[in-house]
Each structure stands twice: as C-alpha cells, then as structure tokens.
Amino acid sequence: ANRLGNLVADIIQLSRLDEQQDAVVSMESVELDELAKDVVNNLRDHAEKKNISLDYCGIPINIQGVRHVLYEMLYNIADNAVRYTNPGGHIHIYVGRKGDHPFYRVEDDGIGIPKSEQKRIFERFYRVDKSRARAQGGAGLGLALCEKIAVLHQGRITFESTLGQGTTVTVSLEGGRP
C-alpha cells in the first residue's frame, strides 16, 4: 500500500512539473544549505541502520526556488545513495559554489551504475536492476522527478559512476542570489 501510494504521489508530482514547465512558478528565497542539512538529518537513522557513514559539508547559499520541490530533489538523490550503498559504506553530501553556480553533490562508494545503463537513468519507470526493485523500493521515477525539478530551477543534474566503486551526483543551479 505504501509503495502504491508513493508511486501515485510521484506520478502526480511529475504531471504537475510537466504542466509547470510553461507556467510561471512562484519562487521564494531558499537556503540550500539548510535544506541539505534537513535531508541529512532525515536520512541519518536509515543510514545508521545500514552501518553507513553519512557526512555533510556546506556553506550558506540562498537561491530562488520552490522549497518543498527542491527538498524532494535533494532527498531523492541522497536517499538513492543510502539505498545503493552497501553496509559499511560512506556517503558525503556537499553544498557549495563553483563560480557563480550553487551546487548540491552526493558522493557514495556504493554499487555504482554500469556504463551500459547510464544513459537511461533519468527515464521514467527505468530501473537499472529490476531484480532489486522489490527489495529497494521505488518505481524508477525518482531521478526523472529530480531532473524535472532541476530544469524547473534552471539547473541540471550530472553524474559519474563506476560499477562496484560508487556514484557522484551533482545538481548545478543557475544563479544563486535571490
């Protein structure tokens, strides 16, 4: 029931984001650093249960955005790292600035993504390892949602991944000051 509820919520969110691409969205000043700290705090118990170290390093950065939607993007990316990092692993989350562009980056030493699958990870309903779908949860909508949210905020998501060594996901946002 929970999985179906989450699936319906994700589909509704994607539909709303599809509609908002052409609409004017009401943005507010959002402290990216504070959102990232909330993500870390909300995932800490889950990480500790898997014996995964989760650390954070960031600087205060204000951006224009939709707070709850940005939070969902940051959370989904970090939650994926926790899901796909083996017990005893490490996850590092950063908020910083490269030039004028704020960024949010999650680095893990998890299972990684095979090269042959990397071009498809932002497709809706796509799962790299379908055999792990039931155990890991989700329906393959999280990264598609994250990509839509990044675009809504004039940003983009990039990643680097090596099978068996881990993944780094970076959200680069345009501008930074409200």
Side-chain angles (χ1 to χ4, degrees), residues 79-106:
D79 184 50
N80 276 351
V82 173
R83 286 179 191 222
Y84 297 105
T85 296
N86 293 320
H90 306 279
I91 299 171
H92 308 282
I93 298 177
Y94 304 91
V95 167
R97 187 180 297 276
K98 186 172 183 181
D100 290 336
H101 304 288
F103 69 85
Y104 171 79
R105 182 172 56 238
V106 177

Side-chain angles (χ1 to χ4, degrees), residues 102-176:
F103 69 85
Y104 171 79
R105 182 172 56 238
V106 177
E107 299 175 356
D108 67 57
D109 58 6
I111 64 172
I113 303 166
K115 289 272 188 224
S116 61
E117 306 288 337
Q118 291 182 8
K119 61 183 169 277
R120 299 192 62 198
I121 67 166
F122 294 108
E123 291 178 16
R124 293 177 186 191
F125 299 106
Y126 185 73
R127 303 270 322 203
V128 171
D129 184 354
K130 287 136 189 82
S131 66
R132 293 178 64 141
R134 185 172 294 264
Q136 296 299 330
L141 288 173
L143 288 176
L145 232 149
C146 290
E147 184 177 49
K148 284 280 188 189
I149 294 168
V151 169
L152 178 68
H153 291 86
Q154 289 80 47
R156 63 188 181 103
I157 300 178
T158 57
F159 72 97
E160 296 175 17
S161 187
T162 303
L163 190 61
Q165 295 181 16
T167 302
T168 298
V169 178
T170 304
V171 179
S172 301
L173 300 163
E174 298 298 318

Side-chain angles (χ1 to χ4, degrees), residues 13-26 66 68-69 152-153:
Q13 182 74 339
L14 272 169
S15 177
R16 286 184 182 148
L17 290 170
D18 284 340
E19 291 172 8
Q20 290 176 345
Q21 269 184 318
D22 299 325
V24 175
V25 179
S26 179
V66 181
H68 72 280
V69 174
L152 178 68
H153 291 86

